[in-house]
Amino acid sequence: MHELVRRHPRYGYRRIWALLRMDGFRINHKRVWRLWKREGLKVPRKQRKKRRLGSGENGIVRHRAERKDDVWAWDFIHDRDERGRPLKWLSIVDEHTRECLGLEVARSLKAEDVLDALRDLMLIRGVPGHIRSDNGPEFIAAAVRGFLEAAEVGTLYVEPGSPWENGFVESFHGRLRDELLQSEVFAGVREARALAELWKNDYNHRRPHSSLGYLTPAAYAAGQMGREAGDGAPLRAAPVGAAPLPPRPAAGQGQADTMNPTLVAAGT
């Protein structure tokens, strides 16, 4: 138990209990709680401001994900390396299974970089029903919106200044910052990418998620796939060969109208 606590200092006793169970220990959570208290283990509490829920039509309250790949969410988070140079992270999560589908990091990420990451992910994972984001210029760029429209992906732009309406990715960023960004000193982009891939794999396959009944996101997603197959629910498969996804623009083309300076209102 001490080894798990050292490895995951931000995990509480219930998540440590779930990891012990995954490792083959036959132990109930009450005994883990007694050992936790006896050893004086604890996770420091953070004081956080309360937020009022938004009421945007595209927020998580009014448009909830009903199944795997129904709604993806994406957003940026910022950090710096050991020399103070910027690191910009793009995360993509499945709101229903809580899986981290993509975690990109670079000095800067523009609309074309966002589009490349999304296109590559769709070729592997398949096409989501919707994708939720704020009105950042990278997400409302004409190239990104055109690609999503051609792929028949619904866009859910939340109201400006209402990050709680994109709450699943905001919650994910809390875990990412708490468990990775504030725990590691990155020498540069290459090291940040390597550690991001390790953390993403651990998050999806090893980290028990409290809202999933302490299953890992990957285990929960596998169960969802089994249920959908049993129900005969249609799955939007990743395109192969003559893909219906819009093609990549040729180098040097389409750069002039990549960005659209006009903010897109929620619900459009």
Side-chain angles (χ1 to χ4, degrees), residues 27-150:
I27 187 171
N28 62 42
H29 69 278
K30 293 181 179 179
R31 186 177 180 190
V32 173
W33 169 247
R34 289 196 298 269
L35 293 172
W36 183 274
K37 294 295 288 184
R38 191 185 72 182
E39 298 298 316
L41 301 173
K42 62 180 180 179
V43 178
R45 293 282 184 179
K46 289 186 176 181
Q47 297 295 326
R48 294 180 178 176
K49 296 180 180 179
K50 295 183 179 180
R51 292 169 167 170
R52 276 184 61 192
L53 287 177
S55 59
E57 293 293 333
N58 290 328
I60 60 173
V61 173
R62 297 194 179 183
H63 195 123
R64 299 186 67 85
E66 297 180 352
R67 59 190 173 275
K68 181 176 179 283
D69 293 327
D70 182 21
V71 181
W72 293 357
W74 57 355
D75 202 359
F76 293 111
I77 188 170
H78 298 269
D79 195 31
R80 293 187 177 275
D81 65 15
E82 64 180 355
R83 295 174 60 185
R85 296 171 297 182
L87 293 171
K88 188 173 184 178
W89 303 69
L90 169 69
S91 59
I92 307 175
V93 300
D94 185 310
E95 289 192 356
H96 186 71
T97 66
R98 308 298 202 272
E99 293 169 282
C100 175
L101 306 179
L103 190 57
E104 305 290 332
V105 57
R107 294 293 178 205
S108 66
L109 291 167
K110 300 180 180 179
E112 53 265 32
D113 303 312
V114 168
L115 186 53
D116 285 343
L118 182 62
R119 183 186 287 110
D120 292 342
L121 179 57
M122 284 185 181
L123 289 172
I124 298 171
R125 173 84 172 196
V127 182
H130 307 81
I131 189 161
R132 195 187 322 269
S133 73
D134 59 24
N135 289 272
E138 299 87 353
F139 302 131
I140 65 171
V144 174
R145 287 159 47 209
F147 172 84
L148 293 173
E149 181 179 358

Side-chain angles (χ1 to χ4, degrees), residues 250-265:
Q253 295 182 2
Q255 298 298 320
D257 64 343
T258 298
M259 306 301 291
N260 186 337
T262 304
L263 291 182
V264 178

Side-chain angles (χ1 to χ4, degrees), residues 167-234:
F168 288 105
V169 76
E170 290 291 322
S171 176
F172 172 79
H173 280 171
R175 305 283 70 75
L176 174 65
R177 185 171 294 282
D178 194 28
E179 297 173 12
L180 178 64
L181 304 188
Q182 292 183 346
S183 301
E184 300 287 349
V185 177
F186 304 108
V189 173
R190 181 178 299 180
E191 184 179 45
R193 287 173 177 164
L195 291 174
E197 188 63 28
L198 290 173
W199 186 85
K200 184 180 78 168
N201 184 70
D202 187 74
Y203 178 88
N204 286 333
H205 296 277
R206 289 284 301 167
R207 184 187 189 277
H209 204 294
S210 58
S211 66
L212 303 178
Y214 288 95
L215 292 174
T216 65
Y220 182 80
Q224 288 291 300
M225 285 292 290
R227 282 189 286 275
E228 288 179 0
D231 295 341

